[in-house]
Amino acid sequence: MKVVTCEIAWHNKEPVYSLDFQHSCDGRTHRLATAGVDTTVRLWWVGMGPDGKAAVEFLSNLARHTKAVNVVRFSPSGELLASGGDDAAILLWKLNDSKEPEQAPVFQEDEDAQLNKESWSVVKTLRGHIEDVYDISWTRDGNFMVSGSVDNTAIMWDINKGQKLCILNDHKSYVQGVTWDPLGQYVATLSCDRVMRVYSTHTKKKSCSISKMSSGTPAEGEVKQYRMFHDDSMRSFFRRLSFTPDGSFLLAPAGCVEAGENIMNTTYIFSRKGLKRPIAHLPCPSKATLAVRCCPVYFELRTKKDGSIQALPSLFQLPYRMVFAVASEDSVYLYDTQQTLPFGLVSNIHYHTLSDLTWSRDGSFLAVSSTDGYCSFLSFSPGELGTPLKEPPTLEVFVPNSGVEKKGKKTSAARTSSPVSQPPSSVLTPTTQTSLGKDSPSVPLSSVTSPEEKKNTPSAKSKPQPRRITLNTLEGWGKPATSKATAPSAPETLTSGSTSAPSTPQPHTASLTPTNSSKTQPRIAPLTPSTPKVLNSANTPGPTTPKGTTTPKGPIPRRVSLTPVASRSASSFFNTPSSTEKAKHVMVPEFRY
C-alpha cells in the first residue's frame, strides 16, 4: 500500500466535499469526479504511475451549480453522474458523444472551457429539496436514487421519470447520510438528530429506528439508556453510511459508546437479519467517524500458512471476504469481514477534516477527500488486498414500485370503498399486517389506523353534506308521488346499507386504505359506484335534520313542486316558485362538483 497526496488545486484550493470513482468496464484507467465549495464538479483520470502511486490528469470542469457541491455519485453503470449541492438541486450529467466541449460561457470562464477534454451536459434536474443536498445513493440497477438534505428529509427518486417516489420526513434534523440496500428492500438514513432510520422500499414506511442502547444487564442492577450516535456538535457535515456490496451488513459511522464516564467513538455494524440492534462496533479511539465505503471486489478467504481456512469470527460467517474503509475526522481505517481488528491505518495526511471516500472498480485505489482542499490516494498492488473471487455472488434485487402508479392505485382503491365501511378497520388491520410484516415488522399498523378513524368520522360528516343535500333534492324531484313513503323508509335503508357495507368484499380488496395518509383519506368521499343510491338514501336523515331546523319548509315544497297545480291549494301554489329556486341553487353545486 502506498499513499500520495497530490499537490493539485482540485477546486481552487477550496474544500473538497466529495469524490467518486466511475465503475466502468475499463480496468486500467479510472475516471474520478470531485465536488467542491467552488460550485463546480471536476473530472479526472487516475492511473497507476511507474512508482506504484496514483497519477492524476484533469479532464473536465462541470459548472452548473450555483452554490457549493456536497456530493457526487456515479450510477452503477457509469453512464450518469449525480451531483447535489447547497442550491437544493440534484443534477444528472452525461458524457456527450461529440468531443466538442459544451458551450457554457455563462457558467464558466473561457479559459476553463478551453481546458476541457470532455464534454458533459445536464440531462435531468431533480428538484424536490428546499435546502442543501448532503448525500446521494443509487440503486443497483441505476433506476432509482435516494437523497438526504438539510431540510430534514430524504427523497426517493425515479430516475427514468424524473419524479419523486416519496418523501421520508421523519427526521428532526439534517439528513447527513443515505444508502440504498443493494438488494433493493431497504433505505437507511442517518441524521444529526442522533437517529438512524431504516425504511422499506415496498411500503415506503419506516421499518425501524435506532437511537438508543442499554448499558449493562438486568442482573447487574442498573440498566442505563445511552445515545448511540453523536449530536450536531460533531465536526463534520456528513455521516455517510453504507451497505456492504452483498447487502448482508449495514455500516453506520458517527457512533459513540459510553464506557463509564468515557465516550468512545465507533462505527456500528448491523446485520440484515436484525437491523434494530447492532451486532458489533468498530472502535475509533481518536476522532468520530464520518464515512464508510466498501470495496466493490469480493475476495477469497485468507488461509493459514498450513493451507487450512482460517476460523471466521462468529459475526461474519461468509464464504468470502469483503473489504471496507472507515474515515474518521483525521484517519482512514481498513477492515475486512474476516476479522474484527483493522488491517490498515492511514493518518496525518491532511490538515483538516476528511469528507468522503471512494474505491476504484478493481480495488486498486482508495481516494480520500478533505476540507483542506486536497485529495489523497491509497494504491494497492495486485493481490495486496487478497485474491479476487472468481465468481461473485448473485444477488436477487427487489425493484420498488413507481410512486405515481402506487398513488393511483391507492386512490382508486380508496374510491371503491365507502366511508361507512371504514369504521370496522380492526378487521382490516390483520390483513395489512400480514402483507407488510415482511418489510416493516416494527410498524404498528393499529396505531396508524386508529388516528385515521378519528379523522374519517368528522370528514364523513362534514364533506359529503353538499352531496346529500343535492341527492335529497333529486330524490324529491324524481319521486313526488311516494315522497311520504320514502321518508320513513330511509332509516331502514340506513341499517341495511350499514350492515351490508362491511359484508361486501370491496373494503377487503382495498386493504391499502387503512394505511393511506390523511391527505388521501378525504378522497374516499366519492362513494361506491355500485351502491350510490343505497348509501345516499341511507344518509338522507343526517343532513335533513339540520336543514329542517334552518328552513323547516324545505322538504314540503319539493313534494309540491312536481304535482299538478290544480290539485293543490293556493298556499302550496304560492310556495312552488321558491322551492324550484332552491332546487336550482342546490343543483348548481352538483354539476360543478
mmCIF file with all atom_site columns, all heavy atoms in Angstrom, residues 327-342:
data_model
loop_
_atom_site.group_PDB
_atom_site.id
_atom_site.type_symbol
_atom_site.label_atom_id
_atom_site.label_alt_id
_atom_site.label_comp_id
_atom_site.label_asym_id
_atom_site.label_entity_id
_atom_site.label_seq_id
_atom_site.pdbx_PDB_ins_code
_atom_site.Cartn_x
_atom_site.Cartn_y
_atom_site.Cartn_z
_atom_site.occupancy
_atom_site.B_iso_or_equiv
_atom_site.pdbx_formal_charge
_atom_site.auth_seq_id
_atom_site.auth_comp_id
_atom_site.auth_asym_id
_atom_site.auth_atom_id
_atom_site.pdbx_PDB_model_num
ATOM 1   N N   . ALA A 1 327 ? -13.621 6.246   7.418  1.00 0.00 ? 327 ALA A N   1
ATOM 2   C CA  . ALA A 1 327 ? -12.926 7.523   7.539  1.00 0.00 ? 327 ALA A CA  1
ATOM 3   C C   . ALA A 1 327 ? -13.382 8.221   8.808  1.00 0.00 ? 327 ALA A C   1
ATOM 4   O O   . ALA A 1 327 ? -14.585 8.410   9.030  1.00 0.00 ? 327 ALA A O   1
ATOM 5   C CB  . ALA A 1 327 ? -13.196 8.405   6.327  1.00 0.00 ? 327 ALA A CB  1
ATOM 6   N N   . SER A 1 328 ? -12.410 8.595   9.636  1.00 0.00 ? 328 SER A N   1
ATOM 7   C CA  . SER A 1 328 ? -12.691 9.451   10.782 1.00 0.00 ? 328 SER A CA  1
ATOM 8   C C   . SER A 1 328 ? -12.343 10.887  10.392 1.00 0.00 ? 328 SER A C   1
ATOM 9   O O   . SER A 1 328 ? -12.103 11.189  9.218  1.00 0.00 ? 328 SER A O   1
ATOM 10  C CB  . SER A 1 328 ? -11.901 8.985   12.004 1.00 0.00 ? 328 SER A CB  1
ATOM 11  O OG  . SER A 1 328 ? -10.518 9.210   11.805 1.00 0.00 ? 328 SER A OG  1
ATOM 12  N N   . GLU A 1 329 ? -12.315 11.749  11.370 1.00 0.00 ? 329 GLU A N   1
ATOM 13  C CA  . GLU A 1 329 ? -12.005 13.141  11.047 1.00 0.00 ? 329 GLU A CA  1
ATOM 14  C C   . GLU A 1 329 ? -10.577 13.315  10.539 1.00 0.00 ? 329 GLU A C   1
ATOM 15  O O   . GLU A 1 329 ? -10.304 14.231  9.756  1.00 0.00 ? 329 GLU A O   1
ATOM 16  C CB  . GLU A 1 329 ? -12.227 14.019  12.282 1.00 0.00 ? 329 GLU A CB  1
ATOM 17  C CG  . GLU A 1 329 ? -13.687 14.077  12.728 1.00 0.00 ? 329 GLU A CG  1
ATOM 18  C CD  . GLU A 1 329 ? -13.876 14.931  13.965 1.00 0.00 ? 329 GLU A CD  1
ATOM 19  O OE1 . GLU A 1 329 ? -12.893 15.595  14.377 1.00 0.00 ? 329 GLU A OE1 1
ATOM 20  O OE2 . GLU A 1 329 ? -14.972 14.942  14.527 1.00 0.00 ? 329 GLU A OE2 1
ATOM 21  N N   . ASP A 1 330 ? -9.662  12.412  10.948 1.00 0.00 ? 330 ASP A N   1
ATOM 22  C CA  . ASP A 1 330 ? -8.264  12.592  10.553 1.00 0.00 ? 330 ASP A CA  1
ATOM 23  C C   . ASP A 1 330 ? -7.583  11.304  10.119 1.00 0.00 ? 330 ASP A C   1
ATOM 24  O O   . ASP A 1 330 ? -6.381  11.322  9.850  1.00 0.00 ? 330 ASP A O   1
ATOM 25  C CB  . ASP A 1 330 ? -7.465  13.209  11.712 1.00 0.00 ? 330 ASP A CB  1
ATOM 26  C CG  . ASP A 1 330 ? -7.499  12.346  12.967 1.00 0.00 ? 330 ASP A CG  1
ATOM 27  O OD1 . ASP A 1 330 ? -8.177  11.299  12.951 1.00 0.00 ? 330 ASP A OD1 1
ATOM 28  O OD2 . ASP A 1 330 ? -6.857  12.723  13.966 1.00 0.00 ? 330 ASP A OD2 1
ATOM 29  N N   . SER A 1 331 ? -8.297  10.175  10.046 1.00 0.00 ? 331 SER A N   1
ATOM 30  C CA  . SER A 1 331 ? -7.658  8.908   9.734  1.00 0.00 ? 331 SER A CA  1
ATOM 31  C C   . SER A 1 331 ? -8.558  8.054   8.859  1.00 0.00 ? 331 SER A C   1
ATOM 32  O O   . SER A 1 331 ? -9.761  8.301   8.746  1.00 0.00 ? 331 SER A O   1
ATOM 33  C CB  . SER A 1 331 ? -7.328  8.130   11.018 1.00 0.00 ? 331 SER A CB  1
ATOM 34  O OG  . SER A 1 331 ? -6.550  8.914   11.895 1.00 0.00 ? 331 SER A OG  1
ATOM 35  N N   . VAL A 1 332 ? -7.938  7.029   8.248  1.00 0.00 ? 332 VAL A N   1
ATOM 36  C CA  . VAL A 1 332 ? -8.649  6.054   7.439  1.00 0.00 ? 332 VAL A CA  1
ATOM 37  C C   . VAL A 1 332 ? -8.291  4.667   7.951  1.00 0.00 ? 332 VAL A C   1
ATOM 38  O O   . VAL A 1 332 ? -7.097  4.316   8.033  1.00 0.00 ? 332 VAL A O   1
ATOM 39  C CB  . VAL A 1 332 ? -8.297  6.176   5.941  1.00 0.00 ? 332 VAL A CB  1
ATOM 40  C CG1 . VAL A 1 332 ? -9.001  5.093   5.135  1.00 0.00 ? 332 VAL A CG1 1
ATOM 41  C CG2 . VAL A 1 332 ? -8.661  7.557   5.415  1.00 0.00 ? 332 VAL A CG2 1
ATOM 42  N N   . TYR A 1 333 ? -9.302  3.901   8.314  1.00 0.00 ? 333 TYR A N   1
ATOM 43  C CA  . TYR A 1 333 ? -9.114  2.538   8.801  1.00 0.00 ? 333 TYR A CA  1
ATOM 44  C C   . TYR A 1 333 ? -9.580  1.553   7.735  1.00 0.00 ? 333 TYR A C   1
ATOM 45  O O   . TYR A 1 333 ? -10.620 1.766   7.100  1.00 0.00 ? 333 TYR A O   1
ATOM 46  C CB  . TYR A 1 333 ? -9.916  2.308   10.087 1.00 0.00 ? 333 TYR A CB  1
ATOM 47  C CG  . TYR A 1 333 ? -9.457  3.144   11.268 1.00 0.00 ? 333 TYR A CG  1
ATOM 48  C CD1 . TYR A 1 333 ? -9.887  4.464   11.422 1.00 0.00 ? 333 TYR A CD1 1
ATOM 49  C CD2 . TYR A 1 333 ? -8.613  2.620   12.232 1.00 0.00 ? 333 TYR A CD2 1
ATOM 50  C CE1 . TYR A 1 333 ? -9.481  5.230   12.500 1.00 0.00 ? 333 TYR A CE1 1
ATOM 51  C CE2 . TYR A 1 333 ? -8.194  3.381   13.320 1.00 0.00 ? 333 TYR A CE2 1
ATOM 52  C CZ  . TYR A 1 333 ? -8.638  4.678   13.447 1.00 0.00 ? 333 TYR A CZ  1
ATOM 53  O OH  . TYR A 1 333 ? -8.222  5.436   14.521 1.00 0.00 ? 333 TYR A OH  1
ATOM 54  N N   . LEU A 1 334 ? -8.825  0.485   7.566  1.00 0.00 ? 334 LEU A N   1
ATOM 55  C CA  . LEU A 1 334 ? -9.151  -0.552  6.594  1.00 0.00 ? 334 LEU A CA  1
ATOM 56  C C   . LEU A 1 334 ? -9.530  -1.828  7.338  1.00 0.00 ? 334 LEU A C   1
ATOM 57  O O   . LEU A 1 334 ? -8.770  -2.324  8.177  1.00 0.00 ? 334 LEU A O   1
ATOM 58  C CB  . LEU A 1 334 ? -7.968  -0.818  5.663  1.00 0.00 ? 334 LEU A CB  1
ATOM 59  C CG  . LEU A 1 334 ? -7.510  0.364   4.809  1.00 0.00 ? 334 LEU A CG  1
ATOM 60  C CD1 . LEU A 1 334 ? -6.268  -0.009  4.014  1.00 0.00 ? 334 LEU A CD1 1
ATOM 61  C CD2 . LEU A 1 334 ? -8.616  0.833   3.881  1.00 0.00 ? 334 LEU A CD2 1
ATOM 62  N N   . TYR A 1 335 ? -10.730 -2.338  7.029  1.00 0.00 ? 335 TYR A N   1
ATOM 63  C CA  . TYR A 1 335 ? -11.246 -3.541  7.668  1.00 0.00 ? 335 TYR A CA  1
ATOM 64  C C   . TYR A 1 335 ? -11.618 -4.557  6.593  1.00 0.00 ? 335 TYR A C   1
ATOM 65  O O   . TYR A 1 335 ? -11.777 -4.218  5.409  1.00 0.00 ? 335 TYR A O   1
ATOM 66  C CB  . TYR A 1 335 ? -12.504 -3.239  8.496  1.00 0.00 ? 335 TYR A CB  1
ATOM 67  C CG  . TYR A 1 335 ? -12.295 -2.381  9.722  1.00 0.00 ? 335 TYR A CG  1
ATOM 68  C CD1 . TYR A 1 335 ? -12.378 -0.991  9.631  1.00 0.00 ? 335 TYR A CD1 1
ATOM 69  C CD2 . TYR A 1 335 ? -12.049 -2.963  10.958 1.00 0.00 ? 335 TYR A CD2 1
ATOM 70  C CE1 . TYR A 1 335 ? -12.203 -0.203  10.761 1.00 0.00 ? 335 TYR A CE1 1
ATOM 71  C CE2 . TYR A 1 335 ? -11.872 -2.183  12.087 1.00 0.00 ? 335 TYR A CE2 1
ATOM 72  C CZ  . TYR A 1 335 ? -11.956 -0.810  11.988 1.00 0.00 ? 335 TYR A CZ  1
ATOM 73  O OH  . TYR A 1 335 ? -11.783 -0.028  13.104 1.00 0.00 ? 335 TYR A OH  1
ATOM 74  N N   . ASP A 1 336 ? -11.786 -5.802  7.037  1.00 0.00 ? 336 ASP A N   1
ATOM 75  C CA  . ASP A 1 336 ? -12.422 -6.813  6.202  1.00 0.00 ? 336 ASP A CA  1
ATOM 76  C C   . ASP A 1 336 ? -13.382 -7.612  7.076  1.00 0.00 ? 336 ASP A C   1
ATOM 77  O O   . ASP A 1 336 ? -13.429 -7.437  8.299  1.00 0.00 ? 336 ASP A O   1
ATOM 78  C CB  . ASP A 1 336 ? -11.397 -7.724  5.508  1.00 0.00 ? 336 ASP A CB  1
ATOM 79  C CG  . ASP A 1 336 ? -10.606 -8.573  6.489  1.00 0.00 ? 336 ASP A CG  1
ATOM 80  O OD1 . ASP A 1 336 ? -10.899 -8.534  7.700  1.00 0.00 ? 336 ASP A OD1 1
ATOM 81  O OD2 . ASP A 1 336 ? -9.683  -9.282  6.046  1.00 0.00 ? 336 ASP A OD2 1
ATOM 82  N N   . THR A 1 337 ? -14.175 -8.465  6.434  1.00 0.00 ? 337 THR A N   1
ATOM 83  C CA  . THR A 1 337 ? -15.203 -9.214  7.148  1.00 0.00 ? 337 THR A CA  1
ATOM 84  C C   . THR A 1 337 ? -14.680 -10.518 7.738  1.00 0.00 ? 337 THR A C   1
ATOM 85  O O   . THR A 1 337 ? -15.476 -11.344 8.191  1.00 0.00 ? 337 THR A O   1
ATOM 86  C CB  . THR A 1 337 ? -16.372 -9.526  6.197  1.00 0.00 ? 337 THR A CB  1
ATOM 87  O OG1 . THR A 1 337 ? -15.871 -10.226 5.047  1.00 0.00 ? 337 THR A OG1 1
ATOM 88  C CG2 . THR A 1 337 ? -17.052 -8.263  5.747  1.00 0.00 ? 337 THR A CG2 1
ATOM 89  N N   . GLN A 1 338 ? -13.381 -10.701 7.769  1.00 0.00 ? 338 GLN A N   1
ATOM 90  C CA  . GLN A 1 338 ? -12.822 -11.921 8.325  1.00 0.00 ? 338 GLN A CA  1
ATOM 91  C C   . GLN A 1 338 ? -12.188 -11.698 9.697  1.00 0.00 ? 338 GLN A C   1
ATOM 92  O O   . GLN A 1 338 ? -11.825 -12.652 10.367 1.00 0.00 ? 338 GLN A O   1
ATOM 93  C CB  . GLN A 1 338 ? -11.799 -12.527 7.362  1.00 0.00 ? 338 GLN A CB  1
ATOM 94  C CG  . GLN A 1 338 ? -11.552 -14.010 7.590  1.00 0.00 ? 338 GLN A CG  1
ATOM 95  C CD  . GLN A 1 338 ? -10.709 -14.619 6.499  1.00 0.00 ? 338 GLN A CD  1
ATOM 96  O OE1 . GLN A 1 338 ? -10.368 -13.949 5.538  1.00 0.00 ? 338 GLN A OE1 1
ATOM 97  N NE2 . GLN A 1 338 ? -10.380 -15.905 6.639  1.00 0.00 ? 338 GLN A NE2 1
ATOM 98  N N   . GLN A 1 339 ? -12.067 -10.442 10.094 1.00 0.00 ? 339 GLN A N   1
ATOM 99  C CA  . GLN A 1 339 ? -11.506 -10.154 11.410 1.00 0.00 ? 339 GLN A CA  1
ATOM 100 C C   . GLN A 1 339 ? -12.110 -8.855  11.921 1.00 0.00 ? 339 GLN A C   1
ATOM 101 O O   . GLN A 1 339 ? -12.603 -8.030  11.134 1.00 0.00 ? 339 GLN A O   1
ATOM 102 C CB  . GLN A 1 339 ? -9.983  -10.039 11.349 1.00 0.00 ? 339 GLN A CB  1
ATOM 103 C CG  . GLN A 1 339 ? -9.472  -8.888  10.495 1.00 0.00 ? 339 GLN A CG  1
ATOM 104 C CD  . GLN A 1 339 ? -7.965  -8.872  10.398 1.00 0.00 ? 339 GLN A CD  1
ATOM 105 O OE1 . GLN A 1 339 ? -7.318  -9.908  10.514 1.00 0.00 ? 339 GLN A OE1 1
ATOM 106 N NE2 . GLN A 1 339 ? -7.384  -7.694  10.200 1.00 0.00 ? 339 GLN A NE2 1
ATOM 107 N N   . THR A 1 340 ? -12.079 -8.680  13.230 1.00 0.00 ? 340 THR A N   1
ATOM 108 C CA  . THR A 1 340 ? -12.684 -7.507  13.852 1.00 0.00 ? 340 THR A CA  1
ATOM 109 C C   . THR A 1 340 ? -11.706 -6.351  13.980 1.00 0.00 ? 340 THR A C   1
ATOM 110 O O   . THR A 1 340 ? -12.121 -5.214  14.150 1.00 0.00 ? 340 THR A O   1
ATOM 111 C CB  . THR A 1 340 ? -13.221 -7.874  15.238 1.00 0.00 ? 340 THR A CB  1
ATOM 112 O OG1 . THR A 1 340 ? -12.143 -8.429  16.022 1.00 0.00 ? 340 THR A OG1 1
ATOM 113 C CG2 . THR A 1 340 ? -14.345 -8.890  15.128 1.00 0.00 ? 340 THR A CG2 1
ATOM 114 N N   . LEU A 1 341 ? -10.403 -6.626  13.911 1.00 0.00 ? 341 LEU A N   1
ATOM 115 C CA  . LEU A 1 341 ? -9.406  -5.567  14.018 1.00 0.00 ? 341 LEU A CA  1
ATOM 116 C C   . LEU A 1 341 ? -9.053  -5.034  12.633 1.00 0.00 ? 341 LEU A C   1
ATOM 117 O O   . LEU A 1 341 ? -9.079  -5.775  11.648 1.00 0.00 ? 341 LEU A O   1
ATOM 118 C CB  . LEU A 1 341 ? -8.142  -6.095  14.704 1.00 0.00 ? 341 LEU A CB  1
ATOM 119 C CG  . LEU A 1 341 ? -8.306  -6.566  16.149 1.00 0.00 ? 341 LEU A CG  1
ATOM 120 C CD1 . LEU A 1 341 ? -6.996  -7.136  16.665 1.00 0.00 ? 341 LEU A CD1 1
ATOM 121 C CD2 . LEU A 1 341 ? -8.787  -5.425  17.042 1.00 0.00 ? 341 LEU A CD2 1
ATOM 122 N N   . PRO A 1 342 ? -8.731  -3.747  12.529 1.00 0.00 ? 342 PRO A N   1
ATOM 123 C CA  . PRO A 1 342 ? -8.343  -3.204  11.218 1.00 0.00 ? 342 PRO A CA  1
ATOM 124 C C   . PRO A 1 342 ? -7.009  -3.774  10.765 1.00 0.00 ? 342 PRO A C   1
ATOM 125 O O   . PRO A 1 342 ? -6.107  -4.022  11.574 1.00 0.00 ? 342 PRO A O   1
ATOM 126 C CB  . PRO A 1 342 ? -8.259  -1.697  11.470 1.00 0.00 ? 342 PRO A CB  1
ATOM 127 C CG  . PRO A 1 342 ? -8.012  -1.565  12.932 1.00 0.00 ? 342 PRO A CG  1
ATOM 128 C CD  . PRO A 1 342 ? -8.727  -2.716  13.583 1.00 0.00 ? 342 PRO A CD  1
#
